[in-house]
Amino acid sequence: MLEQELAKGPVAHSWPDQTWTLARIKTLIGRRFHKSMTLSASARMLHRQGFSHQVPARRAIERDEEAVAGWVKKTWPQVEGPWRRSTPGCASKTKPASR
């Protein structure tokens, strides 16, 4: 029964986005099944039922993979700049001439 409710998604249960959090699941259990559970008890119950915690990849729905790949190849090397200095650096925090 909980699996069916989770499958409907958070938006179907009046949350503004499609991200299930442990706090939201705890609230859903309270609303739908009239059970009061702590967050840790909710997490253990979900684990026993085969659920695992996951962090979603944050990507825009409109993301254009080809445009991103092109930008990484063409634009990023120009923005990134060289890794090494063209002249030797100095580890001193003061200029040698000021000593």
Side-chain angles (χ1 to χ4, degrees):
M1 288 207 262
L2 178 60
E3 295 87 2
Q4 293 169 346
E5 296 300 321
L6 294 173
K8 291 178 185 176
V11 173
H13 294 285
S14 73
W15 279 287
D17 59 28
Q18 285 289 11
T19 304
W20 277 120
T21 63
L22 193 54
R24 287 181 178 183
I25 294 171
K26 175 188 177 291
T27 302
L28 174 66
I29 292 169
R31 287 180 186 168
R32 181 72 175 90
F33 304 105
H34 308 287
K35 287 277 198 181
S36 179
M37 301 177 79
T38 64
L39 288 175
S40 61
S42 301
R44 285 191 304 271
M45 188 241 349
L46 289 168
H47 184 71
R48 283 192 307 268
Q49 292 185 5
F51 289 95
S52 64
H53 63 278
Q54 299 175 5
V55 178
R58 302 247 181 225
R59 299 243 168 117
I61 293 172
E62 305 86 8
R63 182 178 166 120
D64 181 359
E65 292 296 334
E66 289 180 19
V68 171
W71 184 89
V72 168
K73 286 181 182 175
K74 295 177 185 169
T75 307
W76 178 245
Q78 297 168 1
V79 173
E80 184 180 34
W83 282 93
R84 296 180 183 215
R85 298 172 138 209
S86 58
T87 60
C90 178
S92 173
K93 291 184 179 182
T94 59
K95 294 180 183 177
S98 66
R99 286 190 248 162

